[in-house]
Amino acid sequence: DVGLAALAQGCKQLQELRIPTWNHSPGSITHEGVMAVARGCRLLESLELPPSSEVENEGLIALGQCCPQLRSVTGDGWTRITDAAVVALVSGCPQLESVQLSHASLTDASADALAQGCPNLKMLDLFGTGITAAGLLTLARHTRQPQLRICTSCEVPAATLKKYPNVELFGVHVNLKVVTQDGNEIYFKCKVITPLKSLM
């Protein structure tokens, strides 16, 4: 956080900030650092945080208030993020194209906000959130892009998805090819949460 604050103070024209995932201890980057970057780097278009970051609502709210040109937000430390932060982010950053919100504490209210406020969305990571099939279908109905990819752990009936050919859901299943010792190939489709023991 101290380093981010110094960077924000000295690099007002910064447009892209990517922080490597291999280089930080857990909790070394929090919403305090994100808030400093948002307030100091108002031209920011892309922010990528390491999985070890621990960002709360205030970080995304500051991005929504200060960085109207933001197009991409990526990070895995979102467990403390709720609908309020997503609504604030969306209302201030209408140009968002790629948003990773995996494992955030979200409901379909976030899906509604993203669908209404971000017409340029191309990639959404909603894996492990509380967004339901209804929320995913709201996103599908409102997308204006030729292709919207959504990573999710929520299943939507295939027949329903056929109505939205420009939307691709992934992350629910994994396709596996097993080659036996005698050269035969066996194919499996299983959920990402299925233990390998069950597959065996």
Side-chain angles (χ1 to χ4, degrees):
D1 283 350
V2 174
L4 286 180
L7 185 74
Q9 191 172 17
C11 302
K12 303 291 185 188
Q13 304 298 313
L14 193 69
Q15 293 179 320
E16 182 178 349
L17 177 58
R18 296 179 64 219
I19 302 171
T21 60
W22 40 266
N23 181 355
H24 299 275
S25 59
S28 60
I29 294 177
T30 70
H31 56 281
E32 295 289 343
V34 175
M35 289 167 64
V37 169
R39 291 171 181 157
C41 307
R42 294 178 178 257
L43 301 178
L44 195 67
E45 295 180 7
S46 178
L47 176 64
E48 180 180 335
L49 298 174
S52 58
S53 58
E54 295 179 358
V55 180
E56 296 182 19
N57 280 354
E58 293 88 345
L60 291 193
I61 291 171
L63 289 170
Q65 291 172 341
C66 302
C67 301
Q69 298 179 44
L70 196 64
R71 294 178 186 273
S72 176
V73 181
T74 306
D76 258 343
W78 305 128
T79 55
R80 296 174 177 88
I81 296 298
T82 67
D83 292 329
V86 174
V87 170
L89 179 69
V90 166
S91 65
C93 304
Q95 298 183 58
L96 283 170
E97 296 176 1
S98 178
V99 183
Q100 182 180 5
L101 296 166
S102 55
H103 304 291
S105 300
L106 305 181
T107 69
D108 288 346
S110 287
D112 293 343
L114 288 160
Q116 299 288 340
C118 297
N120 300 323
L121 279 176
K122 296 176 183 174
M123 167 62 186
L124 264 176
D125 185 347
L126 302 173
F127 192 87
T129 67
I131 293 176
T132 68
L136 295 174
L137 290 174
T138 298
L139 285 161
R141 278 193 298 273
H142 285 83
T143 185
R144 299 179 200 162
Q145 292 300 313
Q147 185 68 36
L148 171 61
R149 302 186 76 230
I150 304 175
C151 180
T152 178
S153 49
C154 176
E155 285 196 72
V156 177
T160 306
L161 270 181
K162 284 182 181 176
K163 299 176 188 175
Y164 308 102
N166 58 335
V167 176
E168 177 193 353
L169 298 185
F170 67 99
V172 177
H173 295 100
V174 176
N175 294 316
L176 298 172
K177 178 176 82 171
V178 177
V179 180
T180 63
Q181 290 179 344
D182 57 3
N184 291 325
E185 294 180 355
I186 307 170
Y187 295 87
F188 296 92
K189 181 178 182 179
C190 61
K191 293 184 177 181
V192 292
I193 59 172
T194 302
L196 282 178
K197 184 167 76 172
S198 299
L199 176 67
M200 298 299 287

